[in-house]
């Protein structure tokens, strides 16, 4: 992959890279479409990265419909699909790991220790193997975008990180490969997450800027759905992930819940989205 990527760059083409774990859906398509608009060459990686899964997480059972993914990417007109075996990314002698620092321990990192170290390690390697001018990430995984931007800044990587808005089902549920785990009753319950955060976002637009009150509104709305356990609800600054004294346009309201053993995350940018 690296040789091909270097050849494209040497020929003057900009490369856009879309890192994924496969089980592709319309959210991924939207990243690919954006990458196609902005670059001469587009590489999509499909790699279920063992380093970002905890020991009790779903690495073994994560969906891997590879033939479908390949057909989907061909139809989208990508220039290359990078689907390396695990030991190409992590050969036996592999030792180095990126440490995301303190932001990696907040929010998702609190519930998923080591997750962002695994993410940043594979992202750094993918960037080196695919030589992107731009790399495309979903706003749904907002903390991931923050940490990848930090990686780029801290290590001086020549890559522009593009965050792409979350693609949703008509009922508001954010598309996710893990939605496949939801049974019918969980699937019916799941849109409450987006309803709860949009209600708080509307309260912000109507003048409520107290982070605790916005979080409280979200929690109240979620509490009305038994069967759904809140992991976190947090209003945070979009770069430091700290809690602002007052929410401002651009602050992010981020949520994680559990429906049985299935964890769902979502977020809204306050003051930025049509609700
Ligand atoms: P994944 O395959 O789940 O690791 O996701 C690969 C990329 O697609 C990540 O940057 C995700 O944030 C992004 N993504 C996942 N779901 C969505 C969605 N519903 N809308 C937009 N981007 C998404």
């Amino acid at each position: 992959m690296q040789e091909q990527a270097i050849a494209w760059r040497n020929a003057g083409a900009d490369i856009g890279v879309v890192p994924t774990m496969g089980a592709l859906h319309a959210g991924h398509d939207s990243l690919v479409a954006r990458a196609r608009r902005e670059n001469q060459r587009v590489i999509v990686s499909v790699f279920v990265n063992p380093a970002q899964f905890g020991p009790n997480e779903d690495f073994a059972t994560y969906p891997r419909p590879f033939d479908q993914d390949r057909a989907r990417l061909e139809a989208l007109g990508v220039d290359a699909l990078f689907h390396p075996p695990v030991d190409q990314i992590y050969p036996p002698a592999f030792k180095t790991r990126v440490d995301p620092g303190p932001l990696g321990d907040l929010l998702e990192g609190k519930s998923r220790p080591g997750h962002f170290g695994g993410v940043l390690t594979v992202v750094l390697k993918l960037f080196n193997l695919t030589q992107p001018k731009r790399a495309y990430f979903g706003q749904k995984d907002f903390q991931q975008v923050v940490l990848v931007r930090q990686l780029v800044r801290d290590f001086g990587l020549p890559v522009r990180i593009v965050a792409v808005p979350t693609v949703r089902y008509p009922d508001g549920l954010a598309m996710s490969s893990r939605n496949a785990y939801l049974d019918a009753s969980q699937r019916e319950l799941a849109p409450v997450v987006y309803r709860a955060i949009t209600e708080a976002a509307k309260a912000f637009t109507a003048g409520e800027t107290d982070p605790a009150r916005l979080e409280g509104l979200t929690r109240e709305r979620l509490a009305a759905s038994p069967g759904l356990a809140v992991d976190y609800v947090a209003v945070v600054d979009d770069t430091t992930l700290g809690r602002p004294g007052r929410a401002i346009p651009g602050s992010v309201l981020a949520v994680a819940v559990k429906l049985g053993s299935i964890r769902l995350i979502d977020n809204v940018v306050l003051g930025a989205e049509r609700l």
Side-chain angles (χ1 to χ4, degrees), residues 19-71:
T20 83
M21 299 204 300
L24 302 176
H25 50 67
H28 299 110
D29 295 353
S30 139
L31 272 59
V32 171
R34 178 86 182 262
R36 291 246 298 156
R37 282 203 298 280
E38 297 179 350
N39 304 274
Q40 286 77 49
R41 299 286 185 181
V42 171
I43 302 173
V44 177
S45 61
V46 171
F47 180 63
V48 184
N49 174 31
Q52 71 189 66
F53 287 78
N56 299 315
E57 294 185 2
D58 53 347
F59 175 71
T61 53
Y62 196 85
R64 290 168 171 86
F66 182 66
D67 291 342
Q68 261 166 261
D69 288 346
R70 183 172 41 207

Side-chain angles (χ1 to χ4, degrees), residues 110-131:
K110 221 184 253 179
S111 300
R112 308 185 67 188
H115 171 67
F116 288 111
V119 169
L120 296 189
T121 300
V122 82
V123 164
L124 179 58
K125 183 148 191 174
L126 282 175
F127 284 0
N128 284 323
L129 294 175
T130 60
Q131 303 284 307

Side-chain angles (χ1 to χ4, degrees), residues 17-275:
V17 164
V18 181
T20 83
M21 299 204 300
L24 302 176
H25 50 67
H28 299 110
D29 295 353
S30 139
L31 272 59
V32 171
R34 178 86 182 262
R36 291 246 298 156
R37 282 203 298 280
E38 297 179 350
N39 304 274
Q40 286 77 49
R41 299 286 185 181
V42 171
I43 302 173
V44 177
S45 61
V46 171
F47 180 63
V48 184
N49 174 31
Q52 71 189 66
F53 287 78
N56 299 315
E57 294 185 2
D58 53 347
F59 175 71
T61 53
Y62 196 85
R64 290 168 171 86
F66 182 66
D67 291 342
Q68 261 166 261
D69 288 346
R70 183 172 41 207
R72 190 175 188 113
L73 292 171
E74 269 168 23
L76 290 174
V78 310
D79 297 283
L81 162 55
F82 182 45
H83 180 54
V86 171
D87 66 359
Q88 184 182 338
I89 300 298
Y90 302 114
F94 189 96
K95 294 281 181 278
T96 314
R97 197 178 163 89
V98 178
D99 178 355
L103 300 197
D105 296 330
L106 306 174
L107 304 172
E108 285 301 286
K110 221 184 253 179
S111 300
R112 308 185 67 188
H115 171 67
F116 288 111
V119 169
L120 296 189
T121 300
V122 82
V123 164
L124 179 58
K125 183 148 191 174
L126 282 175
F127 284 0
N128 284 323
L129 294 175
T130 60
Q131 303 284 307
K133 170 102 171 218
R134 301 179 190 84
Y136 296 80
F137 291 86
Q139 174 68 22
K140 185 178 89 75
D141 298 283
F142 146 72
Q143 188 176 6
Q144 174 168 278
V145 174
V146 171
L147 283 163
V148 170
R149 288 200 161 124
Q150 176 188 273
L151 173 81
V152 164
R153 227 175 23 247
D154 286 352
F155 290 163
L157 306 180
V159 185
R160 178 182 295 272
I161 302 306
V162 181
V164 179
T166 303
V167 177
R168 303 177 179 283
Y169 293 102
D171 63 11
L173 177 65
M175 291 195 181
S176 162
S177 308
R178 288 191 169 97
N179 289 344
Y181 300 148
L182 298 169
D183 67 25
S185 67
Q186 291 167 327
R187 175 63 188 83
E188 210 169 299
L189 197 58
V192 73
V193 176
Y194 185 61
R195 285 202 295 273
I197 56 180
T198 42
E199 231 166 77
K202 281 181 191 159
F204 171 79
T205 302
E208 179 60 80
T209 60
D210 179 357
R213 298 268 283 272
L214 293 167
E215 291 164 3
L217 276 171
T218 311
R219 282 180 181 280
E220 262 169 45
R221 194 75 165 75
L222 293 172
S225 293
L228 183 153
V230 173
D231 180 355
Y232 62 78
V233 172
V235 173
V236 297
D237 178 86
D238 67 349
T239 314
T240 65
L241 299 181
R243 194 186 211 212
R246 292 268 160 206
I248 57 168
S251 300
V252 175
L253 171 59
V255 176
V257 302
K258 276 192 113 173
L259 278 170
S261 62
I262 305 154
R263 203 154 171 285
L264 299 178
I265 62 171
D266 203 348
N267 67 81
V268 280
V269 181
L270 297 178
E273 291 177 34
R274 269 197 303 141
L275 301 167

